[in-house]
């Protein structure tokens, strides 16, 4: 995430922010991988495209289960943009290398909104019709929108079932959980 532009800071003479143009109700996502999750990729992609994410940039590293090949194929069909994480060449940790590399990507540079999230995250919007457009309308020009985590367990599932993840993994922490702190403050945020 980049800091807010200087022009959006409160002006000393009025204490008010200058008016901002409303962003288009669209967003671009950036993801990176620490683990292999090939069976869930089409589902994750379909969910986020359905809520309004229109460009998805994915960095992968150390895949042995075909996740990278699946994403390369989705890239060839124009459904995602797949990149190999350059962390080995940079000496950075995988997350940091992917974030640094993403800064030069047109999908990120031209985005109205950007979210960086892990492979197992599903954005869930609880306002309006559950789309990003509804979220943007409800937040009326907010610059960042924090998304708190809701921690889910494995629901006693220990094998792969070809059913939607959100239909299977339904056991989770309460909405107001004190610990860990990430459930209150969020680690992911949409930002423009």
């Amino acid at each position: 995430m980049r800091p807010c532009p200087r022009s959006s800071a409160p002006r000393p003479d009025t204490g008010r922010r200058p008016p901002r143009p409303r962003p288009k109700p669209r967003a671009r996502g950036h993801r990176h991988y620490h683990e292999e999750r090939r069976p869930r990729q089409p589902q994750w992609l379909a969910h986020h495209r359905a809520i309004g994410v229109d460009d998805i940039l994915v960095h992968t590293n150390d895949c042995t289960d075909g996740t990278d090949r699946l994403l390369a194929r989705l890239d060839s069909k124009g459904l995602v943009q797949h990149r190999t994480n350059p962390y080995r060449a940079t000496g950075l940790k995988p997350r940091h290398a992917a974030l640094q590399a993403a800064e030069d990507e047109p999908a990120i540079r031209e985005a109205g909104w950007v979210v960086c999230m892990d492979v197992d995250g599903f954005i869930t919007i609880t306002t309006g019709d559950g789309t990003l457009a509804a979220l943007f309308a409800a937040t009326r020009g907010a610059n960042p929108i924090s998304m708190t985590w809701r921690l889910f367990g494995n629901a006693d599932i220990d094998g792969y079932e070809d059913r939607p993840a959100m239909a299977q993994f339904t056991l989770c922490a309460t909405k107001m959980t004190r610990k860990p702190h990430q459930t209150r403050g969020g680690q992911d945020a949409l930002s423009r």
Side-chain angles (χ1 to χ4, degrees), residues 138-154:
T139 55
R140 297 188 207 116
N143 191 345
I145 302 170
S146 179
M147 296 184 293
T148 58
W149 291 354
R150 189 146 183 210
L151 302 176
F152 281 70
N154 70 349

Side-chain angles (χ1 to χ4, degrees), residues 81-172:
Q81 294 179 48
H82 173 244
R83 307 287 184 267
T84 300
N85 191 329
Y87 78 99
R88 284 193 172 87
T90 65
L92 297 171
K93 293 180 180 180
R95 175 182 297 256
H96 298 149
L99 288 170
Q100 187 177 67
E103 289 179 3
D104 295 325
E105 293 281 348
I108 301 302
R109 296 179 69 82
E110 299 166 8
W113 289 84
V114 174
V115 61
C116 175
M117 55 191 298
D118 288 333
V119 65
D120 55 358
F122 282 75
I123 297 173
T124 304
I125 299 169
T126 58
T127 190
D129 63 0
T131 63
L132 287 169
L135 177 64
F136 297 151
T139 55
R140 297 188 207 116
N143 191 345
I145 302 170
S146 179
M147 296 184 293
T148 58
W149 291 354
R150 189 146 183 210
L151 302 176
F152 281 70
N154 70 349
D156 293 327
I157 296 171
D158 59 4
Y160 175 75
E161 293 182 37
D162 192 13
R163 297 188 306 127
M166 290 193 290
Q168 293 180 68
F169 301 102
T170 57
L171 301 177
C172 60

